[in-house]
């Protein structure tokens, strides 16, 4: 059992600036009650794993009441726990145990939309066209002689039109699944309700919030609604084609007034509650969300999307640090999350690989060498953990889990599969429940089968198999995070003036060094005492391919 560690938040309200935050997708973490679905009690039961791992905080993906039309991001009540996952008492017990172990707790807030089962939307359906109840959402009449055409050409991120027609003739907006109607953030009820939600969870002891689709709340709903002309209608790829802040529904300037209101509330707590924006926007625009009078931090997806090459990584790291500095924030680094192909697989695919096509092939075209892929993932992890700022880990990456690319069509749950007309397999492959033990019907995830099938190969990745095993991925993470706590000081790095083309080499205060070889051949190992290596160094004075070392 992990021993309690000091809760530093009262002495250091900026604990988040260089924290390591571990993302838990609750439905896939651990199943305590045996129904095949992960739950809050399951998370609490394994908090000691996270404390021993050495993270600073736990980020919980949505655990709210939901029909799971979009993996829990379709929320029917933002201030309760899904009965299948537990109760508010269970949540309070999780908070208490996390804080006893010195772990902060961050929860997901999903403000762009609700579930279609939310009481507000049910009220709107019953009230009919033109009613005040519909003003909380985005309802519009259709175009065409009989209103048979959608109000605009706006497209859902998941595929197809972002508009759904009701039997009464009105259309409602859903930038994601049709079960997720978008809220109208011009409405006072919407703004007040989410402030109440932030207060509700903060009062229960939550330390911070991850804000889903932070760039989508404000929309240009002035009449007539604007088409986007087919350019990048599904997301951030359209933003460079329009003047910043002017897209009809992504990253509009008005969104920042919402977050300034939030920050005033979050700062009313002692210590202030933290927040981080999920904002798929260009680098310069990301800094706006991270300003100290707004959310304070924003996810750096440019780093997640970077390929495995020294030149590209150095450029992204340099820009990311400058962007964070311009906002008065710290940088964020992430390699995997619940929405992307796990980096253990992704980083070893050839540059330019169509990930949707790769998933449709069951992960066979092109094939992956799992040993080489894991080697590269280990190197990428040590590189990320050496960077100044906050590192966000996704559950299971500390076990080296690969993407489960060969899930059969009949078990897929992600709405992307249906809404894309079976042209995109979706995100289920990174959400397969975790293996805790080497045996059992779900490898210790629960007493019975899991809601998504785990491959037999998961037995070898189980936490039970890796704990205490020298050289395992789990022990590498534990060692790295323990060492990181001792080494971190300041938020700057200094690049080495001269390096080989495939090498990243930088120094951190107080005089330690990270060197990564992203190339295919060994390079000379710089002088210094070896603190940690992602792979054994078998040849003296040589840094092998796909290897990171920390030196002093």
């Amino acid at each position: 059992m992990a021993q309690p560690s000091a809760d530093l938040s009262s002495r250091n309200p900026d604990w988040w600036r260089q924290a390591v935050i571990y993302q838990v997708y609750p439905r896939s973490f651990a199943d305590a009650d045996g129904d095949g679905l992960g739950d809050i009690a399951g998370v609490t039961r394994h908090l000691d794993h996270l404390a021993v791992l050495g993270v600073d905080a736990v980020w919980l993906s949505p655990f709210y009441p939901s029909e799971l039309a979009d993996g829990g991001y379709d929320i029917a009540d933002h201030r309760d726990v899904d009965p299948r996952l537990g109760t508010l008492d269970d949540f309070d017990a999780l908070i208490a145990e996390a804080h006893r172990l010195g772990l902060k707790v961050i929860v997901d807030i999903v403000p762009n939309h609700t579930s279609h089962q939310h009481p507000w939307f049910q009220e709107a359906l019953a009230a009919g066209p033109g009613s005040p109840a519909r003003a909380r959402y985005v309802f519009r009449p259709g175009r065409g002689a009989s209103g048979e055409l959608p109000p605009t050409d706006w497209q859902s991120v998941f595929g197809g039109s972002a508009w759904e027609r009701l039997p009464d003739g009105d259309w409602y907006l859903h930038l994601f699944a049709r079960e997720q109607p978008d809220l109208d953030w011009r409405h006072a009820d919407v703004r007040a309700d989410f402030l109440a939600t932030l207060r509700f969870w903060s009062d229960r002891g939550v330390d911070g919030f991850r804000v889903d689709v932070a760039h989508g709340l404000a929309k240009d709903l002035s009449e007539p609604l604007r088409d986007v002309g087919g350019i990048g209608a599904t997301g951030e790829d359209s933003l460079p084609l329009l003047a910043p802040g002017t897209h009809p529904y992504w990253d509009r300037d008005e969104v920042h007034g919402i977050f300034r209101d939030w920050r005033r509330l979050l700062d009313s707590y002692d210590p202030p509650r933290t927040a981080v924006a999920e904002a798929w926007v260009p680098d310069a625009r990301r800094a706006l969300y991270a300003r100290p009078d707004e959310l304070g931090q924003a996810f750096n997806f440019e780093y997640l999307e970077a390929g495995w090459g020294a030149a590209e990584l150095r450029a992204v790291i340099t820009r990311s640090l400058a962007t964070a500095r311009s906002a008065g924030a710290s940088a964020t680094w992430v390699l995997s999350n619940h929405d992307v192909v796990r980096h253990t697989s992704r980083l070893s695919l050839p540059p330019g690989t169509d990930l949707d096509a790769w998933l449709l092939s069951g992960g066979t075209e092109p094939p992956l060498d799992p040993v080489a892929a894991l080697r590269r993932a280990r190197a990428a992890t040590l590189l990320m953990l050496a960077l100044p700022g906050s590192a966000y880990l996704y559950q299971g990456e500390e076990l080296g889990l690969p993407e489960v690319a060969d899930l059969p069509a009949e078990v897929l749950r992600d709405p992307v599969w249906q809404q894309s007309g079976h042209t995109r397999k979706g995100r289920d492959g990174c959400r397969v429940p975790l293996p805790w033990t080497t045996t059992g019907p779900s490898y210790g995830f629960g007493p019975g089968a899991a809601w998504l099938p785990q491959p037999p190969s998961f037995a070898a990745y189980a936490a039970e198999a890796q704990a205490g095993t020298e050289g395992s991925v789990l022990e590498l993470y534990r060692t790295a995070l323990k060492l990181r706590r001792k080494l971190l000081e300041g938020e700057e790095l200094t690049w080495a003036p001269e390096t080989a083309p495939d090498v990243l080499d930088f120094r951190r205060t107080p005089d330690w060094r990270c060197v990564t070889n992203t190339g295919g051949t060994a390079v000379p190992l710089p002088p210094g005492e070896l603190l940690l290596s992602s792979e054994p160094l078998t040849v003296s004075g040589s840094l092998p391919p796909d290897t990171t070392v920390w030196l002093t």
Side-chain angles (χ1 to χ4, degrees):
M1 175 65 70
Q3 295 301 308
S5 59
D7 181 350
L8 303 178
S9 62
S10 59
R11 299 202 305 274
N12 179 17
D14 291 335
W15 63 267
W16 50 272
R17 292 189 70 93
Q18 294 209 73
V20 177
I21 297 98
Y22 183 101
Q23 181 189 0
V24 167
Y25 189 74
R27 291 166 174 83
S28 294
F29 191 71
D31 170 22
D33 62 11
D35 65 355
L37 197 65
D39 44 45
I40 296 295
V43 177
T44 305
R45 203 174 276 184
H46 287 286
L47 285 175
D48 59 340
H49 168 79
L50 304 184
V52 172
L53 185 63
V55 302
D56 300 290
V58 182
W59 154 28
L60 296 174
S61 289
F63 50 85
Y64 313 108
S66 170
E67 66 174 338
L68 302 182
D70 180 24
Y73 283 83
D74 49 312
I75 297 172
D77 185 344
H78 293 81
R79 299 196 285 272
D80 204 353
V81 175
D82 191 312
R84 291 166 294 182
L85 274 66
T87 65
L88 284 170
D89 286 343
D90 292 326
F91 181 84
D92 292 342
L94 183 154
I95 289 280
E97 178 63 4
H99 287 169
R100 186 189 74 83
L101 293 169
L103 297 169
K104 310 294 189 297
V105 178
I106 295 168
V107 300
D108 241 305
I109 291 293
V110 185
N112 180 69
H113 46 260
T114 71
S115 166
H116 66 156
Q117 295 181 336
H118 191 284
W120 278 359
F121 194 73
Q122 290 298 306
E123 179 187 358
L125 294 181
S131 63
R134 291 200 174 184
R136 299 186 186 111
Y137 294 90
V138 184
F139 284 89
R140 289 293 186 277
R143 295 188 292 192
S146 304
E148 72 278 8
L149 300 176
T152 68
D153 66 354
W154 301 356
Q155 296 291 295
S156 163
V157 172
F158 293 159
S161 174
W163 296 95
E164 183 77 6
R165 196 180 193 191
L166 297 173
D168 60 30
D170 257 4
W171 296 75
Y172 69 86
L173 179 68
H174 61 89
L175 290 178
F176 294 88
R178 61 179 56 88
E179 296 89 352
Q180 293 169 292
D182 280 49
L183 290 161
D184 185 344
W185 270 85
R186 300 174 305 175
H187 200 291
D189 287 357
V190 175
R191 294 190 178 229
D193 193 70
F194 273 89
L195 288 173
T197 294
L198 293 171
R199 190 176 294 109
F200 178 87
W201 294 112
S202 296
D203 288 347
R204 297 193 95 88
V206 163
D207 301 283
F209 301 90
R210 177 263 188 187
V211 184
D212 186 65
V213 196
H215 62 307
L217 276 57
K219 300 173 177 68
D220 180 5
L221 298 175
S222 56
E223 298 293 346
L225 297 183
R226 287 188 288 147
D227 284 343
V228 292
I231 55 168
T234 58
E236 72 282 0
D237 53 343
S238 69
L239 298 178
L241 302 177
L242 299 167
T246 67
H247 191 284
Y249 49 87
W250 293 131
D251 187 37
R252 292 190 59 79
D253 289 336
E254 303 95 303
V255 78
H256 299 291
I258 297 169
F259 296 136
R260 282 191 286 273
D261 287 344
W262 287 21
R263 175 46 59 192
R264 282 189 285 271
L265 185 147
L266 298 176
D267 281 351
S268 70
Y269 287 86
D270 184 18
R273 293 340 190 207
T274 67
V276 58
E278 183 208 28
W280 292 84
V281 298
D283 197 59
R285 297 288 294 180
R286 187 173 70 245
L288 303 180
Y289 296 82
R291 290 178 292 192
D293 66 339
E294 293 192 33
L295 296 178
Q297 201 172 55
F299 280 128
N300 176 13
F301 294 115
E302 188 181 9
Y303 185 74
L304 182 151
E305 294 174 332
W308 183 246
E312 182 179 1
L313 285 168
R314 176 169 175 158
V316 169
I317 290 167
T318 300
R319 283 197 303 272
S320 301
L321 289 171
T323 297
R325 194 179 305 114
S326 72
S330 60
T332 63
W333 314 103
V334 60
L335 289 168
S336 288
N337 63 36
H338 64 292
D339 283 332
V340 301
V341 171
R342 284 185 177 274
H343 72 271
T344 301
S345 301
R346 186 187 72 249
L347 287 178
S348 288
L349 291 169
T353 297
D354 182 330
L355 294 176
D356 288 324
W358 181 74
L359 289 171
L360 286 171
S361 77
T364 62
E365 300 175 17
L368 272 182
D369 177 345
V371 175
L374 187 56
R375 179 188 184 97
R376 183 168 290 183
R378 290 166 62 105
T381 293
L382 279 198
L383 169 61
M384 179 182 74
L385 292 177
L387 294 170
S390 297
Y392 285 79
L393 311 180
Y394 178 52
Q395 65 175 43
E397 70 173 78
E398 81 280 13
L399 305 178
L401 291 185
E403 184 80 2
V404 183
D406 58 354
L407 289 171
E410 60 269 19
V411 306
L412 297 179
R413 305 287 189 91
D414 193 340
V416 169
W417 176 241
Q418 295 295 337
Q419 287 195 218
S420 69
H422 298 174
T423 62
R424 294 165 57 199
K425 204 169 184 180
R427 302 159 293 178
D428 289 318
C430 68
R431 301 176 178 183
V432 174
L434 297 190
W436 293 97
T437 61
T438 58
T439 59
S442 58
Y443 304 108
F445 168 71
W451 68 279
L452 278 174
Q454 303 149 299
S457 61
F458 265 33
Y461 293 99
E464 177 185 64
Q466 297 194 47
T469 300
E470 185 177 357
S472 70
V473 180
L474 178 57
E475 290 303 326
L476 176 68
Y477 270 75
R478 287 176 172 178
T479 302
L481 292 178
K482 183 177 181 180
L483 188 57
R484 186 180 190 271
R485 283 180 183 267
K486 297 178 180 178
L487 294 173
L488 280 192
E489 186 176 314
E491 295 182 15
E492 302 293 332
L493 62 74
T494 303
W495 294 106
E498 295 182 8
T499 59
D502 292 324
V503 172
L504 288 160
D505 184 350
F506 58 84
R507 288 190 178 276
R508 296 288 313 276
T509 303
D511 198 29
W512 64 286
R513 184 174 186 177
C514 175
V515 186
T516 301
N517 180 6
T518 67
T521 58
V523 298
L525 180 69
E529 179 187 350
L530 180 66
L531 298 174
L532 187 62
S533 176
S534 62
E535 295 294 329
L537 304 183
T538 56
V539 178
S540 177
S542 180
L543 182 62
D546 291 342
T547 303
T548 296
V549 293
W550 294 358
L551 305 167
T552 188

